[in-house]
Amino acid sequence: MGIKFGVIGSGSWATALVKIITDNGNKVNWWVRNDASASYIKKRAHNPHYLTSAVLKTKLLKIETDLSKVVAAANVLIIAVPSAYTTEVLSELEPGDLKNKKVLSAVKGMLPKENILLNEYLANEFNVPLQNYFAVLGPCHAEEVAAEKLSYLTFSGADIEMTKKIAAYFTSPAINTVVNDDILGVQYAAVLKNIYALGAGIAHGLDYGDNFQSVYIANCADEMAAFLRTFGAEHIVVGEHEANLVTGAKSANYAASVYLGDLLVTCYSLYSRNRTFGNMIGKGYSVKAAQLELNMVAEGYNAAKCIYNINKKIKAEMPIAANIYKILWDKLTPAKGFEAIEKVLI
């Protein structure tokens, strides 16, 4: 199957993914929200709002503001819209528009109104089977992809052979790709790491030091793994691997890049908008003021509420995520919230 990519979204991550695909010499049909942005990219080969220094190969781009045209022209659709706006964008499509399409999610969050992952929404609204659904995840900040610093991307899907085919289009000297089939687990890990990174930012804003942060993040990794196991995602134990006798490659576990690696970089990196958002909360900003100051979506804010509600049924032990939720949504002060978190860390 020859892949024809369509990319939906024009933010930092969408722009980075477009750059990877076109730098590898492949064409992309790209939906951007407005004519002004489309015109600017065509003329100047830069996104005017995100990753503005990244040079794009416009000869390989067909840029549209009509979403249906991008969808019709592609057989693999990459959805790279912030989770808070995903359903609004996709509402422009008809139920049959995604028939026989493969969908690659670059949405790093849950759909907050529906409180579900993107694959569940696509199954409900567009009848997209899980076999046709894939996810691309980090640890991978868009800024470093644009700067062509070596990064690792994990591609996950139930159809492992198709997952490998899609991943091959992204492999380059600056991008190493990893493939796994834990499609639900990797998505929930991406949701959780944003919550914990927001908490790391709050801790920094409260003037906790590196010693505390290391203990905090280690406990977040443990809490994440416990949630995934309780939820029913693949149980992959740290320190254990199934050897691939053909390639010698290790199988992934919860210490792998898409789980622990993405948690670490999102908690520590200055590029992390969740950490930045949390830092403002810790310093005394209101949620509204922090949102206005950041001017970008911090996925951990809505994710905290989604996971809190999901966990009412699952009942995993999640005191860290629960206290971050209470700080963001239930008027618990950051200082009181972290006093509670301090008591559960080991």
Side-chain angles (χ1 to χ4, degrees):
M1 168 185 168
I3 292 181
K4 298 177 182 178
F5 285 105
V7 174
I8 301 172
S10 54
S12 297
W13 194 216
T15 303
L17 294 171
V18 166
K19 177 174 168 57
I20 296 169
I21 300 167
T22 53
D23 281 355
N24 280 345
N26 301 296
K27 295 179 180 179
V28 173
N29 292 276
W30 189 10
W31 177 83
V32 301
R33 185 173 290 278
N34 58 68
D35 291 326
S37 293
S39 178
Y40 189 101
I41 296 168
K42 289 174 185 177
K43 289 179 181 177
R44 305 200 181 194
H46 296 274
N47 187 324
H49 304 296
Y50 303 96
L51 302 186
T52 54
S53 62
V55 180
L56 302 170
K57 294 186 176 180
T58 53
K59 290 183 179 179
L60 294 174
L61 291 174
K62 186 169 178 56
I63 302 170
E64 299 278 2
T65 56
D66 185 335
L67 181 59
S68 62
K69 289 182 179 180
V70 169
V71 172
N75 54 21
V76 174
L77 283 168
I78 303 173
I79 300 177
V81 179
S83 60
Y85 308 117
T86 301
T87 56
E88 176 189 339
V89 171
L90 296 181
S91 68
E92 297 180 24
L93 299 176
E94 297 296 326
D97 286 349
L98 299 185
K99 185 177 181 180
N100 299 324
K101 306 282 185 183
K102 309 292 185 184
V103 177
L104 177 64
S105 171
V107 176
K108 298 180 179 181
M110 301 189 71
L111 308 184
K113 292 180 182 178
E114 294 79 7
N115 206 44
I116 56 176
L117 294 171
L118 180 60
N119 59 277
E120 297 174 77
Y121 175 80
L122 293 177
N124 294 339
E125 301 296 324
F126 296 95
N127 201 30
V128 175
L130 191 61
Q131 198 73 4
N132 286 350
Y133 180 85
F134 309 84
V136 56
L137 298 147
C140 202
H141 284 303
E143 293 82 359
E144 290 197 354
V145 169
E148 299 181 17
K149 293 189 176 184
L150 180 62
S151 302
Y152 284 66
L153 289 176
T154 293
F155 290 80
S156 188
D159 181 345
I160 203 68
E161 291 306 314
M162 188 63 204
T163 307
K164 291 177 182 177
K165 288 180 183 178
I166 293 172
Y169 281 79
F170 292 80
T171 305
S172 74
I175 299 289
N176 285 345
T177 55
V178 180
V179 171
N180 86 4
D181 60 359
D182 183 25
I183 183 61
L184 298 181
V186 296
Q187 290 183 95
Y188 275 111
V191 172
L192 288 163
K193 58 94 176 177
N194 285 330
I195 301 169
Y196 297 132
L198 204 155
I202 295 173
H204 184 267
L206 290 169
D207 208 28
Y208 285 88
D210 290 345
N211 292 341
F212 175 83
Q213 289 280 20
S214 67
V215 175
Y216 166 79
I217 296 168
N219 279 263
C220 289
D222 186 63
E223 186 172 289
M224 175 192 292
F227 174 88
L228 294 176
R229 289 196 296 271
T230 306
F231 178 78
E234 188 175 343
H235 185 179
I236 41 184
V237 179
V238 172
E240 294 183 6
H241 302 276
E242 294 179 8
N244 186 315
L245 298 179
V246 177
T247 65
K250 293 180 177 180
S251 61
N253 60 33
Y254 288 145
S257 59
V258 73
Y259 305 100
L260 180 59
D262 209 0
L263 172 66
L264 290 172
V265 76
T266 313
C267 285
Y268 280 127
S269 176
L270 296 179
Y271 290 127
S272 169
R273 62 187 69 174
N274 287 286
R275 184 183 188 277
T276 301
F277 183 90
N279 185 49
M280 288 188 275
I281 298 296
K283 288 185 178 298
Y285 283 62
S286 68
V287 166
K288 186 65 175 177
Q291 289 171 326
L292 291 171
E293 180 78 16
L294 187 63
N295 198 31
M296 289 191 292
V297 175
E299 294 281 5
Y301 172 64
N302 284 318
K305 187 175 184 179
C306 291
I307 291 296
Y308 185 81
N309 288 328
I310 287 171
N311 201 43
K312 288 177 181 178
K313 296 179 180 179
I314 296 172
K315 301 189 185 305
E317 289 292 327
M318 302 190 76
I320 301 172
N323 276 288
I324 294 169
Y325 161 79
K326 290 174 184 177
I327 292 168
L328 297 173
W329 291 91
D330 208 19
K331 298 182 179 180
L332 180 66
T333 67
K336 289 291 185 183
F338 268 80
E339 283 178 16
I341 288 171
E342 285 177 33
K343 295 174 183 176
V344 302
L345 302 184
I346 57 172

